[in-house]
Amino acid sequence: MSDNEDFLHNEEAIRQDPDNLIKSNDPNHPANLICTLCEQFYHNNWCTGTAGGISIKHSKYDHIYVAPSGVQKEKMKKEDLFVLNHDGSKILRSPKFYKPSDCTPLFKACFNVKNAGAIIHTHSQHAVICSLIFKDEFRISNIENIKAIPSGKTDPVTGKSIALSYFDTLKIPIIENMAHENELVDSFHEVFKKYPHTTALIVRRHGIFVWGPTIEKAKIFNEAIDYLMELAIKMYQLGIPPDCPIGDEQKY
Amino acid sequence: MSDNEDFLHNEEAIRQDPDNLIKSNDPNHPANLICTLCEQFYHNNWCTGTAGGISIKHSKYDHIYVAPSGVQKEKMKKEDLFVLNHDGSKILRSPKFYKPSDCTPLFKACFNVKNAGAIIHTHSQHAVICSLIFKDEFRISNIENIKAIPSGKTDPVTGKSIALSYFDTLKIPIIENMAHENELVDSFHEVFKKYPHTTALIVRRHGIFVWGPTIEKAKIFNEAIDYLMELAIKMYQLGIPPDCPIGDEQKY
Amino acid sequence: MSDNEDFLHNEEAIRQDPDNLIKSNDPNHPANLICTLCEQFYHNNWCTGTAGGISIKHSKYDHIYVAPSGVQKEKMKKEDLFVLNHDGSKILRSPKFYKPSDCTPLFKACFNVKNAGAIIHTHSQHAVICSLIFKDEFRISNIENIKAIPSGKTDPVTGKSIALSYFDTLKIPIIENMAHENELVDSFHEVFKKYPHTTALIVRRHGIFVWGPTIEKAKIFNEAIDYLMELAIKMYQLGIPPDCPIGDEQKY
Amino acid sequence: MSDNEDFLHNEEAIRQDPDNLIKSNDPNHPANLICTLCEQFYHNNWCTGTAGGISIKHSKYDHIYVAPSGVQKEKMKKEDLFVLNHDGSKILRSPKFYKPSDCTPLFKACFNVKNAGAIIHTHSQHAVICSLIFKDEFRISNIENIKAIPSGKTDPVTGKSIALSYFDTLKIPIIENMAHENELVDSFHEVFKKYPHTTALIVRRHGIFVWGPTIEKAKIFNEAIDYLMELAIKMYQLGIPPDCPIGDEQKY
C-alpha cells in the first residue's frame, strides 16, 4: 500500500487496479473520512438501520466516493465504497457485496449543479419532525448558530462567501418524499432554481440533504442546521414560533 | 485456543470440552458478537439493570447462543453464555454462575416457528411508552425508515424478501405481559398465526422482541423499529397520529 | 506495588503505609471500581459539577472506601479516596487535597443499619423531577423492570431474596432536603424504620441514595430505579399515572 | 520538545520561537487542556458547527490561550491556538490558518475585570431556551446543585469563597445578543457592575459565558449551571416555576 496520492489517483493505476482509489492512509482522504463520519453520525441517531449516507469528491482528483446501499453505517469499511468519475457518469470502483445507494443520482445533482464538494444525508428525527410542523419551508430567526450558514452572497472585495446574520431568517425548503429516492431528482432541480442559495433541503417524513464546497463545510452546515431544527422543535413545543421577532417570545 | 470453527463446533470436540463452543476469536462469531452487542445496547438504555437479551444461532452449525439471566449486559463475557443445540432442546454448554434466561422458551419459539437466525430483546422505553399509547398494535405510516422492514412478501423472480414501501403502514402486535417471561409462549404463538409476516412483537409495559434471518438483519430491524417508535411518540405528543395520511398533519 | 490483597489489607501493613489500602491492581477492588463507576456515572449526567458519590465496603476485609468531597467525578483517581474502618468510626487513609464527603455519615448509616455493601448517590434529574411530582413516596406499578428490585421478603427454603413481581408497586420514600447533607441522618433512620424493605430513598430537590448487599447489586438497583423514574416522568407527562392499574391507560 | 515549563514560557524563548508556548506535554497545560475540553464539550452539543470556545490563563505565567474562530471544536489541535500576553493586549503566538475568535474581547473583559483564570463559552440549548422563557435573569431556587456556585461572599476567617446555600436563589443575568460578539463588550461591563458576584451571563438566543478563578472551577460552575438550566426547563414544562418556594410544587 502506498500513500502516494498522485499515483493512487492516476488513470493508469486505476485501470490496473481500481482498489488503488481506496488505498490512501490519510485519515482525511474521502475513502477513510466517509467511514469515520458514518460511524460518528450513527451515534447521533442519524444513520441507524443502514439509513443515510455521505458522498465526498476528492478535492484534487475529482473522484467521487459514495457509501453503498444497505450497509450498517457504524461498521462500514472503505472496501465497501463506490468510486465514480468527476461527474458521476462512470463507476470506477465497486465493492463486492453491495449495490450503489439509491441516493447516487441526488448526490450527482448536487455535485454537478451546485458544484458541491460533499453531500451529507441523514434521517435525523429533527428533520422529520420539522417536516411535519412546517409546511413548505423550515424557518428560524435570530439564533446565533444561524451565522454558521452561508447567505449565498459573496463579498465583492474578498470574493469570500458571506454568512447569514443573527438578524436573518434561515429558510430551508421542504420537498415531498417519493417511493424511491431516485424519483426525487426533479424536486432537487426545482429547489436549485427556486432557492438558488440554499445549502440544504428537507425531504418530508424522510430526512435532510446538506451540501457544501468541502466536506468540512458540509459537516459544519449539517451540524448547525440540525442544532437549529432541534431548537425550533423545542420552541414550537413551548408555543414560541421559531421565526418570531426578538422580544415577541413573551407574547406566547 | 483455535480458530478452526469446523473443529470447535465438531460433536466430538464439544463432548470433550463444551467450552470449545465459545473459543472462536472471530468477532462475528455468536459467542463474541452477543457480548459486543449487549454492551452497545446497554449504552442505548435498552439493557440497563440486567434487562434484555440476545440469542444468535450459528449460521453454519446451528448452535444457539443465549445470554444468561441476571448478568450486567455491559460487562458480559463469552464465558457467561449458554449454548443450546439446533432446536434448543438440549443445553450443550453452561456458564458457572448463571441460570438460563427466562426468555429462552421465547427465543426457541422464534427460532423454531419463524426460522429466525437471531432474536433481540430490549426494554427500550420507546417500546414501553408505545405499549401505553397504542392498544392492540403499534402503527406508523409514511416514514422513510419503514422501508427497512420486510413486508413478508417475496419477489417471485429473484426470491428475495420485499420490504415495506414508504406508502405502507408498519403494524407491530402488542401482547399483554405476564408474571414470568416463559408464560408468554402461548401469546407468541398466537402472534405468529395472526401476524404471519411480523418480524417483531411488543410486550406491554415490558419491551420488544425483534427477530430476523441473521443477526445483521435482526439488528437493522430493531434499530429501524426503535427509531420509528421514538418518532411515533414525538408525533403523538405533537397531536399528529403516527398513522395519519400524508398531508393530514396540518389538521391536528 | 503488590496484588496480594491479604497483605495490602493487613493491619500492620496499613499502619506502616496506609496507601497499601489503595494499591490493588484488581479492577473490581473498591479503590479502582469507585473511580471507574464515578466516571461512568458522570457521563449519565448523574455526577456533573462534582455532585454525587459512591461508597463501597470491601467484601472480605470490611474496609470502607469513600469518594471525597468536591472532586470532579470523571477525573477521580484512587489516590483521592478516603478509607475508613469497618463501621466508619475511624479514618485509615486520607487523600492529600480533599476533605471527606458530607455524605459520609449517611453512607455509614446505610452500612451499619442496613448492612449495605455499597451505596450509590446520584443527582439524577429523574430523581429530582420525581421528587417534585410525587409527595411522600415515588410509586410505579406493573412495569417489567420493577422485577429487578428486592421485595424485602426471603424465600423460606432457599434463603434467597425475593424480587418484586410485575404486578407489584415499587414505592420509594422521599425525604426533605436540608442545608447540609449530614443533617439528613435522622431522616435516613426514620426511613429505615418506616420502610424496612426499601433499598433506596429520594431526597427532594437533591437526588437519590441506593444501597445493596454488594456494589453489583447496588448498581443494578440504581439503574433499574433510574429507568423507572425516567419512565414515570414520561407517563406523567402523557397523563398516565405511573401507578395506575393495567388497562387503565386508555382512560387518561 | 521539552517539558521545562519555565523555559517554554520564558520571554527570550518565546521571542525565538513563539511555538514554545504550545510545546508542553502536560495534559493540564492550557494548550492541551483547551483541546481536550473542546472535544468533550462538542459531544455535549455545546460546540457543534464550530460554535463556542474556551480561554485559559496559565496559572503561573499568565499567558492567555484562546481557541480560534471557525475551527471544528472536536478536531482542534494545540497548533490552532492563539496565545496572548497577561492582559490580552498583545498576540504572542498565532496559528497559520485561523483568525482570532470574535469572543476574544469578551474573554479579555472577564480576565481583566473579574480576575478570571478561565472562561467557557457554549451554545448550550439549555441556555438558549432559558433565554426565551426568562426575561432579564435566569432564576432557580432550592436545588442541591445550586451549592456548587459561589455566593460572592468570603469567609472572614478562612478567606475562602462561600457557596450559595440550598435555600438560596441562583440568579444569572441575561443580556441581548448583537450582530457581532465584540459588540457585547459594553453589556458585559454593565453586568459586572449590576451583578458583581455573578460567575456567568447568558446571551439571549445565543448561549452562555461562565468564568472562574481556575479552569477547574469554571468547568464545575458551567456543568452545575447547565444542569440547573436543564432542570429549570423541565420544571417550567411541568408548570412548576423554577424559583418557587419548597412545598409550592403541588399548587401548580
Side-chain angles (χ1 to χ4, degrees):
Chain A
M1 192 182 292
S2 152
D3 254 325
N4 184 333
E5 294 212 4
D6 277 337
F7 168 75
L8 294 176
H9 287 271
N10 173 285
E11 254 186 61
E12 177 55 22
I14 298 168
R15 207 186 49 78
Q16 287 185 4
D17 181 3
D19 281 0
N20 279 318
L21 284 163
I22 57 161
K23 282 192 182 164
S24 167
N25 288 324
D26 177 359
N28 287 317
H29 185 280
N32 298 313
L33 194 53
I34 286 183
C35 301
T36 311
L37 291 177
C38 277
E39 190 187 351
Q40 187 180 322
F41 291 177
Y42 172 83
H43 293 290
N44 286 349
N45 202 16
W46 289 346
C47 299
T48 53
T50 80
I54 300 179
S55 185
I56 303 179
K57 185 183 271 198
H58 194 290
S59 59
K60 187 167 173 195
Y61 306 99
D62 281 350
H63 295 125
I64 292 174
Y65 291 74
V66 201
S69 177
V71 68
Q72 293 184 69
K73 293 296 180 293
E74 78 280 18
K75 300 180 78 172
M76 204 169 70
K77 295 188 301 283
K78 58 186 180 181
E79 288 74 20
D80 302 336
L81 297 175
F82 283 87
V83 189
L84 315 179
N85 70 339
H86 73 283
D87 63 358
S89 60
K90 230 172 75 183
I91 295 182
L92 302 178
R93 196 260 165 202
S94 298
K96 273 189 201 151
F97 304 110
Y98 300 104
K99 50 178 202 161
S101 165
D102 281 345
C103 293
T104 310
L106 308 177
F107 291 157
K108 276 160 63 173
C110 296
F111 284 124
N112 295 338
V113 181
K114 302 304 294 181
N115 205 17
I119 303 109
I120 293 171
H121 169 45
T122 82
H123 287 206
S124 165
Q125 296 209 352
H126 303 138
V128 176
I129 294 292
C130 281
S131 82
L132 294 171
I133 59 184
F134 289 88
K135 222 181 156 80
D136 297 325
E137 60 183 24
F138 166 75
R139 296 168 62 96
I140 190 165
S141 309
N142 313 309
I143 299 291
E144 183 71 7
N145 279 29
I146 291 175
K147 290 161 63 175
I149 307 300
S151 66
K153 290 171 204 152
T154 310
D155 185 305
V157 179
T158 65
K160 280 191 183 169
S161 161
I162 297 176
L164 286 174
S165 132
Y166 169 65
F167 297 108
D168 285 334
T169 298
L170 170 67
K171 300 170 192 171
I172 298 178
I174 302 173
I175 64 173
E176 298 304 320
N177 197 26
M178 300 283 187
H180 305 99
E181 281 179 314
N182 53 27
E183 297 173 69
L184 294 170
V185 171
D186 288 349
S187 304
F188 267 60
H189 285 287
E190 277 167 43
V191 162
F192 296 158
K193 271 179 213 148
K194 206 170 155 194
Y195 291 83
H197 299 316
T198 192
T199 196
L201 64 78
I202 293 169
V203 184
R204 196 173 330 270
R205 294 168 167 274
H206 177 156
I208 190 167
F209 289 80
V210 182
W211 55 88
T214 62
I215 180 62
E216 287 74 25
K217 289 288 182 191
K219 177 169 178 291
I220 292 170
F221 298 164
N222 179 56
E223 282 178 6
I225 291 169
D226 205 76
Y227 172 102
L228 290 163
M229 294 189 300
E230 182 182 1
L231 197 58
I233 296 165
K234 292 178 183 172
M235 293 174 74
Y236 179 87
Q237 286 173 323
L238 289 164
I240 303 168
D243 59 351
C244 78
I246 300 167
D248 269 21
E249 310 90 6
Q250 313 293 335
K251 291 186 192 163
Y252 305 97
Chain B
M1 193 182 293
S2 153
D3 254 325
N4 183 332
E5 294 212 4
D6 278 336
F7 168 75
L8 294 176
H9 287 270
N10 173 285
E11 254 186 61
E12 177 56 22
I14 298 169
R15 208 187 48 77
Q16 287 186 3
D17 181 3
D19 281 0
N20 279 318
L21 285 162
I22 56 160
K23 282 192 181 161
S24 168
N25 289 324
D26 176 358
N28 286 317
H29 184 279
N32 299 314
L33 194 53
I34 286 184
C35 301
T36 311
L37 291 177
C38 277
E39 190 186 351
Q40 188 179 323
F41 291 177
Y42 172 83
H43 292 290
N44 286 349
N45 202 18
W46 288 346
C47 297
T48 54
T50 79
I54 300 178
S55 185
I56 303 178
K57 185 183 272 198
H58 194 290
S59 60
K60 188 166 172 195
Y61 307 98
D62 280 349
H63 295 126
I64 292 174
Y65 290 74
V66 200
S69 177
V71 68
Q72 294 184 68
K73 293 295 180 295
E74 78 281 18
K75 300 179 79 172
M76 205 169 70
K77 295 188 300 283
K78 59 185 180 180
E79 287 75 20
D80 302 337
L81 297 175
F82 284 87
V83 190
L84 315 179
N85 71 339
H86 73 284
D87 64 358
S89 60
K90 229 173 75 183
I91 296 182
L92 303 178
R93 195 258 165 202
S94 298
K96 273 189 202 150
F97 305 111
Y98 300 104
K99 49 179 203 160
S101 167
D102 282 345
C103 294
T104 310
L106 309 176
F107 292 157
K108 276 160 65 174
C110 296
F111 283 123
N112 294 338
V113 180
K114 302 305 294 181
N115 204 17
I119 303 109
I120 293 171
H121 168 45
T122 82
H123 287 204
S124 164
Q125 296 210 350
H126 303 138
V128 176
I129 294 293
C130 281
S131 82
L132 294 171
I133 58 185
F134 289 87
K135 222 179 158 81
D136 297 325
E137 59 183 25
F138 166 75
R139 297 168 61 96
I140 190 164
S141 308
N142 312 310
I143 300 290
E144 182 71 7
N145 280 28
I146 291 174
K147 290 161 63 176
I149 308 299
S151 66
K153 291 170 203 151
T154 310
D155 186 307
V157 179
T158 66
K160 280 191 183 169
S161 160
I162 297 177
L164 287 174
S165 130
Y166 168 65
F167 296 109
D168 285 334
T169 298
L170 170 67
K171 300 170 193 172
I172 299 177
I174 303 173
I175 64 173
E176 298 304 319
N177 198 25
M178 300 284 186
H180 305 101
E181 281 179 313
N182 52 28
E183 298 173 69
L184 294 171
V185 170
D186 288 349
S187 304
F188 267 61
H189 286 288
E190 277 168 40
V191 161
F192 296 158
K193 271 179 216 148
K194 205 171 155 194
Y195 292 82
H197 299 317
T198 192
T199 197
L201 64 78
I202 293 168
V203 185
R204 196 173 331 268
R205 294 170 168 273
H206 177 155
I208 189 166
F209 290 79
V210 182
W211 56 87
T214 62
I215 180 62
E216 286 72 27
K217 289 287 183 194
K219 178 170 178 287
I220 291 170
F221 298 164
N222 179 55
E223 282 177 7
I225 291 169
D226 205 76
Y227 171 101
L228 290 163
M229 294 189 299
E230 182 182 0
L231 197 60
I233 296 166
K234 292 178 185 172
M235 293 173 75
Y236 179 87
Q237 286 173 322
L238 289 165
I240 303 168
D243 59 351
C244 78
I246 300 167
D248 269 21
E249 311 89 6
Q250 314 292 335
K251 290 187 192 164
Y252 304 96
Chain C
M1 193 183 292
S2 152
D3 254 322
N4 183 333
E5 294 211 5
D6 278 336
F7 168 75
L8 295 176
H9 288 270
N10 174 284
E11 254 185 61
E12 177 56 23
I14 298 169
R15 208 187 49 77
Q16 286 185 5
D17 181 4
D19 281 1
N20 278 318
L21 285 162
I22 57 160
K23 282 191 181 164
S24 167
N25 288 324
D26 176 358
N28 287 317
H29 185 280
N32 298 314
L33 194 54
I34 286 185
C35 301
T36 311
L37 291 177
C38 277
E39 190 187 349
Q40 187 180 323
F41 291 179
Y42 171 84
H43 292 291
N44 286 349
N45 202 17
W46 288 346
C47 298
T48 54
T50 81
I54 299 179
S55 185
I56 304 178
K57 186 183 271 197
H58 194 288
S59 60
K60 187 167 173 195
Y61 306 99
D62 280 350
H63 295 126
I64 293 174
Y65 290 74
V66 201
S69 175
V71 68
Q72 294 184 69
K73 293 295 180 295
E74 78 280 18
K75 300 179 77 172
M76 204 168 70
K77 295 186 301 282
K78 58 186 180 181
E79 287 75 19
D80 302 337
L81 296 175
F82 284 87
V83 189
L84 314 179
N85 70 339
H86 73 283
D87 64 358
S89 59
K90 229 173 75 181
I91 296 183
L92 303 178
R93 195 259 166 202
S94 299
K96 274 190 200 147
F97 304 111
Y98 300 105
K99 48 178 202 160
S101 165
D102 281 345
C103 293
T104 310
L106 309 176
F107 292 156
K108 276 160 65 173
C110 296
F111 284 122
N112 294 337
V113 181
K114 301 307 293 181
N115 206 16
I119 304 109
I120 293 171
H121 168 44
T122 81
H123 286 206
S124 163
Q125 297 210 351
H126 303 137
V128 175
I129 294 292
C130 281
S131 82
L132 294 171
I133 59 185
F134 289 87
K135 222 179 157 80
D136 297 325
E137 58 182 27
F138 166 76
R139 298 167 60 96
I140 191 164
S141 309
N142 313 311
I143 300 291
E144 182 70 8
N145 280 30
I146 290 174
K147 290 162 63 175
I149 308 298
S151 66
K153 291 171 205 151
T154 309
D155 185 306
V157 178
T158 65
K160 280 194 184 168
S161 161
I162 298 178
L164 287 174
S165 129
Y166 169 64
F167 296 109
D168 284 334
T169 297
L170 169 67
K171 299 170 194 172
I172 299 177
I174 302 174
I175 64 173
E176 297 304 319
N177 197 26
M178 299 283 186
H180 305 101
E181 280 179 315
N182 52 28
E183 298 173 70
L184 294 171
V185 171
D186 288 350
S187 304
F188 267 61
H189 286 287
E190 277 167 40
V191 161
F192 296 158
K193 271 179 217 150
K194 207 171 156 193
Y195 292 82
H197 299 317
T198 191
T199 197
L201 64 76
I202 293 169
V203 185
R204 194 169 335 265
R205 293 170 167 275
H206 177 156
I208 190 166
F209 289 79
V210 182
W211 56 89
T214 61
I215 180 63
E216 286 72 27
K217 290 286 184 195
K219 177 169 178 288
I220 291 170
F221 299 164
N222 179 57
E223 282 177 7
I225 292 170
D226 206 77
Y227 171 101
L228 290 163
M229 295 189 299
E230 182 182 358
L231 197 59
I233 296 166
K234 292 178 185 171
M235 292 173 76
Y236 179 89
Q237 285 173 322
L238 289 165
I240 303 168
D243 59 351
C244 79
I246 301 167
D248 270 20
E249 310 89 7
Q250 314 293 334
K251 290 188 190 161
Y252 305 96
Chain D
M1 194 183 293
S2 151
D3 255 323
N4 184 333
E5 293 212 4
D6 278 335
F7 168 75
L8 295 176
H9 288 270
N10 173 284
E11 254 186 61
E12 177 55 23
I14 299 169
R15 208 188 49 77
Q16 285 185 6
D17 181 4
D19 281 0
N20 279 317
L21 285 162
I22 57 161
K23 282 191 182 164
S24 167
N25 288 324
D26 176 359
N28 287 317
H29 185 280
N32 299 314
L33 194 53
I34 286 184
C35 301
T36 311
L37 291 177
C38 277
E39 190 187 350
Q40 188 180 324
F41 291 178
Y42 171 83
H43 292 290
N44 286 348
N45 202 17
W46 288 346
C47 299
T48 52
T50 81
I54 299 179
S55 184
I56 303 178
K57 185 183 271 197
H58 193 289
S59 60
K60 187 167 172 194
Y61 306 99
D62 281 349
H63 295 125
I64 293 174
Y65 291 73
V66 201
S69 176
V71 68
Q72 293 184 68
K73 293 295 180 294
E74 78 280 17
K75 300 180 75 171
M76 203 169 70
K77 295 187 301 282
K78 59 185 178 181
E79 287 75 19
D80 302 337
L81 297 175
F82 283 87
V83 189
L84 314 180
N85 70 339
H86 73 284
D87 63 358
S89 60
K90 229 172 76 183
I91 296 182
L92 302 179
R93 195 260 167 202
S94 299
K96 274 190 200 151
F97 303 111
Y98 300 104
K99 50 178 201 160
S101 164
D102 281 345
C103 294
T104 310
L106 308 177
F107 291 157
K108 277 159 65 173
C110 295
F111 283 124
N112 294 338
V113 181
K114 302 305 294 180
N115 205 17
I119 303 108
I120 293 171
H121 169 45
T122 81
H123 287 206
S124 163
Q125 297 210 350
H126 303 138
V128 175
I129 294 292
C130 281
S131 82
L132 295 171
I133 60 185
F134 289 88
K135 220 178 157 81
D136 297 325
E137 59 183 26
F138 166 76
R139 297 167 63 96
I140 189 163
S141 308
N142 311 312
I143 300 291
E144 182 70 8
N145 280 29
I146 290 174
K147 290 162 64 175
I149 308 299
S151 67
K153 290 172 204 150
T154 310
D155 185 305
V157 178
T158 65
K160 279 193 184 169
S161 161
I162 298 177
L164 287 174
S165 131
Y166 169 65
F167 297 108
D168 285 334
T169 298
L170 170 67
K171 299 170 193 171
I172 298 177
I174 302 173
I175 64 173
E176 297 305 320
N177 197 25
M178 300 284 186
H180 304 100
E181 282 180 313
N182 52 29
E183 297 173 70
L184 294 170
V185 171
D186 288 349
S187 304
F188 266 61
H189 285 288
E190 277 168 41
V191 161
F192 296 158
K193 273 179 212 149
K194 207 170 155 194
Y195 291 82
H197 299 317
T198 192
T199 198
L201 65 77
I202 293 169
V203 184
R204 194 170 332 268
R205 293 169 167 274
H206 176 157
I208 191 167
F209 289 81
V210 182
W211 55 88
T214 62
I215 180 63
E216 286 74 25
K217 290 286 182 193
K219 176 169 178 290
I220 291 170
F221 299 164
N222 179 57
E223 281 177 7
I225 292 170
D226 205 76
Y227 172 101
L228 290 163
M229 295 190 300
E230 182 182 359
L231 198 58
I233 295 165
K234 292 178 183 171
M235 293 174 75
Y236 179 88
Q237 285 173 322
L238 288 165
I240 303 168
D243 59 351
C244 79
I246 300 166
D248 270 20
E249 310 89 6
Q250 314 293 336
K251 293 187 190 165
Y252 305 98

